[in-house]
Amino acid sequence: VVMALYITAAEEIIIEIYDPKGQRILCKKVSATKGENTVTINEIYVSSGIYLFNVLGNDFRLSEKTIIN
């Protein structure tokens, strides 16, 4: 899984991924720089389905449903 994120300030962020059953399958801390960041997640294998991605920072929270084929 590859994610592109734009961060307004350098900080540690947390990325959470939930599977179609609602179980958290990943919780990863990432050091992000100000600006565009590309995060590659190799720790998990995902099959087809709808996944929920949460990105948590010091002053923001982003939730996004993603379909993986």
Side-chain angles (χ1 to χ4, degrees):
V1 176
V2 178
M3 300 175 68
L5 303 168
Y6 185 85
I7 306 296
T8 58
E11 64 180 289
E12 275 208 349
I13 59 172
I14 297 173
I15 298 172
E16 299 175 328
I17 302 176
Y18 291 85
D19 70 9
K21 296 177 184 176
Q23 295 178 321
R24 187 170 68 184
I25 58 174
L26 178 84
C27 182
K28 179 177 182 174
K29 284 186 181 180
V30 177
S31 293
T33 59
K34 181 179 178 180
E36 191 163 327
N37 292 265
T38 302
V39 179
T40 302
I41 299 170
N42 294 320
E43 294 88 351
I44 60 169
Y45 169 78
V46 292
S47 56
S48 296
I50 299 173
Y51 290 80
L52 177 64
F53 288 73
N54 290 329
V55 181
L56 311 164
N58 290 333
D59 59 355
F60 72 92
R61 178 186 180 113
L62 170 68
S63 294
E64 184 77 30
K65 285 186 181 178
T66 302
I67 298 172
I68 297 181
N69 293 322

